[in-house]
């Protein structure tokens, strides 16, 4: 596949940060899992990865803005371009030695995501997409799954945990989805969840309480793979609402309807 200069910059930044995370992942697997020690270690791994990504991206495009999970936003003099970065999406997995985590980088131009990269260094899987150029996994073109019936589908989701609200609402949504689909999966990395929808591994996905850097790269991957996304109200401003429902044309609509069902009367 032919990549633009900007996408090449993003790929190189993700690969370099991924190399750092892979090295740290080997170390964290040897640490005792507890709140002390490993938590601090993972935080440092996170900061190191973001520092690498920021340096690579701003070296190539110093006038662009930068919004990452670990630091203050940089307002670029360019005014129309902004990098959206999650240097380690799936921190809990990383902490526990589970090889499902990723570097996620997206480029926003005048409010629209125009390029995205998601890299899992543990599996060496690189997902890339550029507006109008298609979506790829390790340079092989990918498409969303073609299933049209929820009963045939495997659906990914995010589960609110300690410190998150709306546990009851999620359980109701899950109850509705479970009764309609072949299976439900929870990976623990929204970036990879969305990449898996783009690659046809998941037929659909939904989650709430997300940040822009969690989902920006995944949104363009799905769009360029022929899929559809919305927020949980059917709108298009996922980056602001922090909610997403994804799938192909048929499954995205069906999933949106299922999770939006009202609370059953007693």
């Amino acid at each position: 596949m032919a990549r633009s200069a900007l996408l090449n910059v993003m790929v190189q930044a993700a690969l370099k940060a991924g190399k750092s995370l892979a090295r740290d992942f080997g170390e964290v697997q040897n640490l005792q899992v507890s709140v002390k020690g490993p938590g601090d270690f993972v935080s440092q791994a996170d900061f190191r990865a973001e520092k690498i990504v920021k340096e690579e991206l701003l070296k190539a495009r110093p006038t662009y803005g930068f919004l990452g999970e670990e630091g203050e936003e940089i307002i670029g003099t360019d005014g129309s371009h902004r990098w959206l970065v999650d240097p380690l999406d799936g921190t809990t997995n990383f902490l526990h030695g589970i090889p499902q985590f990723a570097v996620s980088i997206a480029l926003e131009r005048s409010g629209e995501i125009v390029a995205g990269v998601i890299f899992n260094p543990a599996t060496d899987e690189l997902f890339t997409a550029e507006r109008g150029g298609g979506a790829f996994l390790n340079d092989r073109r990918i498409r969303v799954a073609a299933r049209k019936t929820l009963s045939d589908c495997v659906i990914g989701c995010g589960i609110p945990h300690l410190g998150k609200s709306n546990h009851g609402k999620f359980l109701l949504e899950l109850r509705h989805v479970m009764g309609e689909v072949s299976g439900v999966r929870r990976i623990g990395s929204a970036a990879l969840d969305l990449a898996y929808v783009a690659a046809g591994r998941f037929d659909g996905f939904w989650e709430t309480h997300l940040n822009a850097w969690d989902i920006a790269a995944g949104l363009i991957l799905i769009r360029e793979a022929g899929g559809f996304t919305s927020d949980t109200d059917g709108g298009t401003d996922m980056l602001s609402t922090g909610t997403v429902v994804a799938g192909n044309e048929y499954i995205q609509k069906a999933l949106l309807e299922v999770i939006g069902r009202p609370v059953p009367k007693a």
Side-chain angles (χ1 to χ4, degrees):
M1 60 166 287
R3 297 188 186 125
S4 71
L6 274 173
L7 190 58
N8 274 326
V9 167
M10 297 166 68
V11 167
Q12 292 308 310
L15 294 177
K16 191 170 182 180
K19 184 176 181 180
S20 174
L21 286 176
R23 182 173 57 250
D24 288 336
F25 186 62
E27 294 296 323
V28 80
Q29 287 177 299
N30 298 322
L31 297 175
Q32 180 181 358
V33 176
S34 64
V35 174
K36 274 190 167 183
D40 293 336
F41 183 88
V42 172
S43 293
Q44 290 306 309
D46 212 330
F47 281 117
R48 276 191 292 270
E50 180 159 317
K51 183 174 184 291
I52 290 169
V53 172
K54 182 184 293 184
E55 288 176 352
E56 291 293 308
L57 296 180
L58 295 184
K59 179 174 64 177
R61 296 293 189 275
T63 63
Y64 287 12
F66 184 97
L67 177 62
E69 184 177 14
E70 300 304 334
E72 292 185 4
E73 181 176 4
I74 296 173
I75 306 299
T77 57
D78 172 277
S80 59
H81 291 84
R82 181 172 66 157
W83 302 110
L84 298 168
V85 175
D86 191 341
L88 175 53
D89 187 60
T91 304
T92 301
N93 285 347
F94 187 94
L95 173 62
H96 288 270
I98 301 170
Q100 293 290 335
F101 57 90
V103 182
S104 178
I105 304 172
L107 175 61
E108 182 183 49
R109 178 180 295 141
S110 300
E112 181 184 0
I113 304 302
V114 296
V117 173
I118 296 172
F119 177 54
N120 181 351
T123 59
D124 201 31
E125 289 189 322
L126 176 69
F127 299 87
T128 58
E130 214 166 356
R131 185 174 62 182
F136 296 83
L137 167 55
N138 292 346
D139 294 335
R140 177 179 59 82
R141 199 176 188 102
I142 54 177
R143 296 284 297 177
V144 293
R147 297 178 185 88
K148 297 181 180 181
T149 306
L150 276 176
S151 59
D152 296 328
C153 292
V154 170
I155 303 296
C157 70
I159 300 176
H161 48 77
L162 180 67
K164 300 288 185 179
S165 61
N166 291 334
H167 291 193
K169 185 175 184 296
F170 168 77
L171 289 173
L172 180 63
E173 294 171 352
L174 181 61
R175 172 184 169 186
H176 289 156
V177 173
M178 287 168 56
E180 299 283 349
V181 304
S182 178
V184 179
R185 301 289 183 269
R186 199 272 203 236
I187 285 183
S189 164
L192 288 178
D193 285 320
L194 294 171
Y196 283 13
V197 173
R201 295 174 177 175
F202 286 168
D203 298 282
F205 171 76
W206 93 98
E207 188 171 358
T208 62
H209 294 91
L210 293 163
N211 296 296
W213 51 75
D214 295 320
I215 60 177
L219 294 178
I220 190 169
L221 272 166
I222 291 173
R223 186 178 71 198
E224 291 297 323
F228 292 77
T229 58
S230 76
D231 60 29
T232 51
D233 292 322
T236 59
D237 195 9
M238 290 78 72
L239 298 185
S240 294
T241 64
T243 70
V244 62
V245 182
N248 66 26
E249 180 181 6
Y250 304 97
I251 300 306
Q252 194 273 339
K253 290 179 181 177
L255 185 57
L256 187 62
E257 188 276 328
V258 169
I259 66 169
R261 286 177 183 169
V263 177
K265 294 181 180 180

